[in-house]
Amino acid sequence: MERTFVAIKPDGVERGLIGDIISRFEKRGLKLVGMKFMQVPTELAERHYGEHKGKPFFDGLVKFITSGPIVAMCWEGKGAIALCRNVIGATKPADSAMGTIRGDLALDISRNIVHGSDGPESAAREVGLFFKDEELVSTWNRTIDKWICE
Ligand code: IDP
Ligand code: MG
């Protein structure tokens, strides 16, 4: 089983899309193992988006992600990292397919509503940045799990 980090950015929160977005991951069959409603400190935002440091959009991105509360989540499931990226859709909303979060709900790259880790290393790094081990619920086994994954 894989774990990944997903966050509803301040635009998704402001627009009242928290329920819609969480519902998409939930209905897909993923298991929620951690969730936090929080305002991101600048230092955490800069570490989280460290790979983009030096790019022209970096300062604006940090300012945006710290501008209001986010919903930080850890989702678990078979192939969860790639699966969540597919549920989210392409980075540029113009390229994201209908049926994806960005394809249905966003139209600007700098207001694309959701974040999802892009690989096993970033997933482990980002889950660790936003959650302490004891904040993740690891002992929970859903009775329906056998109907979702063989
Ligand atoms: P991702 O969120 O799909 O993984 P990344 O390339 O990792 O996309 O970029 C991180 C975030 O930075 C994007 O979600 C988007 O909000 C923002 N971003 C990326 N490229 C641009 C750009 O060219 N202009 C403005 N914002 C950008
Ligand atoms: Mg990324």
Side-chain angles (χ1 to χ4, degrees), residues 26-146:
E26 210 178 15
K27 284 189 283 195
R28 190 70 190 263
L30 292 155
K31 188 170 87 172
L32 186 64
V33 292
M35 181 159 69
K36 233 186 238 189
F37 186 58
M38 62 183 285
Q39 184 107 22
V40 182
T42 301
E43 194 213 359
L44 175 58
E46 286 174 348
R47 286 177 72 190
H48 172 67
Y49 281 126
E51 64 170 307
H52 298 300
K53 204 172 171 119
K55 294 182 187 170
F57 60 84
F58 181 75
D59 289 349
L61 179 60
V62 169
K63 206 169 170 192
F64 165 63
I65 210 74
T66 57
S67 67
I70 68 155
V71 181
M73 294 171 282
C74 178
W75 289 95
E76 184 181 284
K78 200 175 200 173
I81 298 168
L83 199 124
C84 285
R85 293 283 291 185
N86 286 334
V87 170
I88 290 167
T91 307
K92 288 184 192 168
D95 297 335
S96 34
M98 275 181 70
T100 65
I101 294 168
R102 289 168 175 168
D104 288 348
L105 305 170
L107 54 74
D108 189 296
I109 190 166
S110 59
R111 298 288 183 270
N112 62 7
I113 303 183
V114 198
H115 169 85
S117 308
D118 64 6
E121 275 177 28
S122 59
R125 191 178 72 83
E126 292 168 0
V127 170
L129 276 177
F130 283 85
F131 293 97
K132 297 180 188 140
D133 279 353
E134 62 268 27
E135 290 172 333
L136 299 173
V137 181
S138 297
T139 49
W140 178 40
N141 289 306
R142 296 178 300 188
T143 53
I144 57 141
D145 278 344
K146 66 176 179 179

